[in-house]
Amino acid sequence: MRSLFRSPQRPELLAAPGNAGIARDRVPCFDVAAEDVPGLVRLASDEKCDFVVVGPEAPLVGGVVDQLADVRIRAFGPSAAAARIEGSKAYAKELMRDVGVPTASYAVFTDREEALAHLSCASYPAVLKADVLAAGKGVIICQTEREARAAVDEFFVEQRFGETQVVIEQFLEGEELSLLALCDGMTAMPMAPAQDYKRIFDGDRGPNTGGMGSYSPVPGIGPDHVEVLARTVHQPIVDELRRRGTPFHGVLYAGLMMTADGPKVLEYNARFGDPETQAVLPRLRSDLLELLDRSSRPGGLEGAHMEWSEAWAVTVVLASRGYPESSSKGDEITGLRAIDALETEVLHAGTAEEDGRIVTAGGRVLNVTGIGATPGEARDRAYAAAELVEFEGKQMRHDIAARAVERVEA
């Protein structure tokens, strides 16, 4: 939303459902849930929207772009058929296999007994994934067969993520890299790279989350390397989906593991990844609205160019008590006004306003992004701001971008 604010086209914006931060930016927020696809389409029609930018994955997989097209409203985002690359881990793995995109070896199981029979011959650590949308939390890394058996029960018996198949795949070692690409159904245009931190605790310990922080750019991943990666992991997908009659328009996020054997895809998202986007978009100097508009049109990105700032951006996520297993709601958030004077950008995620107070309303509560000439400067600003914010049970990692500082400034 903030990046659309910066567009020289000065668009009139509205949000659904929005949050306390968006409302305080004086953007009208409408109480329509992201999962309510008919309600979102009705709202866009009633408000005479010219263009809808879809953020979350649930409405994309639910077909909001298709239904908006039915009422002649253009949107940024893939069709339901194309968004299946995020909605189904098994489908994504099969797609990668068919087009030769490098990824971890895997197997797909439809019931508990079948999965358990496989575990005795699996190598460990092993990665188990729910074959459904799970807000970044449907991945369990199992160090032993015993842990894997418990995870299988969590998926099939407890049904923590509902009815689902389970993908069991090889554990990959290396550093993660996030690379988003704008796609117009024909071409994948890569954005600046970022590095994400998935685990809840410092040192990459604890369960997976939707992301606890990120930074951009990434040392050693320059423009030429980015182009090679896009040709390897984005363009084959775009080409194949067009061939299948389900062209991909929108942003294709590739979560990569940079292994000793080269880059391998961990997952695809059919949307802007969070919190990578909070570190990438503040560095964008081009008109985001124009780029999104061009992406929505077949071949619209031809001749387009993205200009990036040389500055560094570091994003620290502040999460609520109990996250990622649960989240605490209704805890008052203080210190936000003290951040205004700092060179940071604070974006709300799981927040709400109650009686004039900003309170927690979800697992990941706030994203605090520091901007600086060096990774150290950006990191210091992000953490200085993050420390000013207080709410009961606040969780955050303290090692975001530390490796970038070591590599660039040591």
Side-chain angles (χ1 to χ4, degrees):
M1 188 70 73
R2 290 272 175 84
S3 295
L4 293 174
F5 259 131
R6 291 191 280 264
S7 170
Q9 299 180 55
R10 297 185 175 278
E12 181 181 346
L13 302 175
L14 58 86
N19 58 37
I22 293 174
R24 290 200 166 193
D25 283 340
R26 293 186 172 82
V27 175
C29 294
F30 294 81
D31 189 19
V32 182
E35 296 79 11
D36 182 5
V37 170
L40 293 171
V41 174
R42 192 162 48 249
L43 173 64
S45 297
D46 291 347
E47 295 297 318
K48 297 181 172 52
C49 293
D50 299 307
F51 190 55
V52 176
V53 178
V54 186
E57 63 272 32
L60 291 171
V61 173
V64 69
V65 171
D66 309 76
Q67 293 190 33
L68 285 167
D70 290 342
V71 296
R72 302 185 180 226
I73 297 176
R74 290 192 311 107
F76 173 80
S79 65
R84 192 180 173 204
I85 197 169
E86 179 170 4
S88 170
K89 302 292 189 296
Y91 172 75
K93 296 293 280 192
E94 292 161 6
L95 187 60
M96 286 185 267
R97 179 198 62 198
D98 290 348
V99 301
V101 169
T103 188
S105 58
Y106 73 101
V108 180
F109 300 99
T110 58
D111 61 60
R112 176 178 181 270
E113 288 68 29
E114 185 184 24
L116 290 175
H118 173 81
L119 296 181
S120 61
C121 58
S123 59
Y124 294 91
V127 181
L128 277 67
K129 298 180 177 180
D131 189 33
V132 292
L133 294 177
K137 294 175 284 188
V139 178
I140 301 177
I141 299 173
C142 303
Q143 301 296 327
T144 64
E145 182 180 342
R146 181 178 180 179
E147 291 182 8
R149 287 179 173 273
V152 165
D153 283 346
E154 190 171 329
F155 288 130
F156 285 120
V157 179
E158 299 172 22
Q159 295 191 339
R160 180 181 171 191
F161 302 102
E163 291 189 15
T164 179
Q165 300 183 110
V166 171
V167 177
I168 301 178
E169 67 180 38
Q170 168 196 15
F171 177 79
L172 298 176
E173 294 192 53
E175 286 190 17
E176 290 196 39
L177 181 74
S178 300
L179 187 60
L180 303 97
L182 295 180
C183 306
D184 63 4
M186 301 178 68
T187 301
M189 175 183 292
M191 304 187 79
Q195 190 160 90
D196 180 26
Y197 293 73
K198 285 286 194 295
R199 309 288 280 274
I200 184 69
F201 300 128
D202 290 6
D204 293 325
R205 295 178 296 109
N208 265 25
T209 71
M212 291 300 294
S214 62
Y215 66 88
S216 179
V218 179
I221 309 294
D224 291 343
H225 197 170
V226 164
E227 291 292 339
V228 170
L229 288 171
R231 287 197 298 270
T232 303
V233 304
H234 294 94
Q235 193 61 50
I237 298 295
V238 172
D239 291 341
E240 178 63 11
L241 291 181
R242 183 177 69 253
R243 188 191 69 78
R244 295 184 182 189
T246 58
F248 192 99
H249 292 264
V251 63
L252 183 60
Y253 164 103
L256 305 167
M257 185 65 77
M258 308 301 284
T259 75
D261 297 323
K264 294 188 178 184
V265 174
L266 298 170
E267 64 173 351
Y268 286 112
N269 289 344
R271 57 186 166 85
F272 282 110
D274 174 31
E276 296 89 341
T277 301
Q278 283 83 354
V280 170
L281 288 185
R283 302 183 55 237
L284 180 65
R285 291 293 171 261
S286 304
D287 181 358
L288 179 65
L289 180 57
E290 178 188 350
L291 291 167
L292 302 189
D293 177 75
R294 293 176 69 150
S295 298
S296 71
R297 305 173 188 275
L301 289 172
E302 183 176 0
H305 173 72
M306 281 186 269
E307 182 181 347
W308 299 96
S309 164
E310 294 294 322
W312 288 75
V314 174
T315 298
V316 177
V317 172
L318 307 185
S320 67
R321 180 176 59 242
Y323 183 77
E325 285 79 11
S326 62
S327 61
S328 177
K329 298 181 180 179
D331 298 312
E332 184 174 4
I333 303 168
T334 61
L336 290 172
R337 295 192 183 280
I339 298 176
D340 291 344
L342 303 179
E343 294 187 57
T344 56
E345 185 168 84
V346 179
L347 296 177
H348 291 233
T351 67
E353 187 163 356
E354 295 181 357
D355 301 323
R357 303 177 306 137
I358 305 297
V359 300
T360 61
R364 289 183 295 168
V365 177
L366 297 164
N367 297 275
V368 182
T369 300
I371 309 294
T374 65
E377 186 175 58
R379 185 174 188 273
D380 289 346
R381 287 172 175 167
Y383 276 107
E387 293 289 355
L388 293 174
V389 178
E390 294 294 340
F391 54 88
E392 187 70 27
K394 181 181 79 173
Q395 297 188 83
M396 69 178 184
R397 284 184 58 156
H398 298 83
D399 59 350
I400 306 301
R403 64 172 66 106
V405 175
E406 292 171 2
R407 290 172 182 173
V408 173
E409 301 181 41

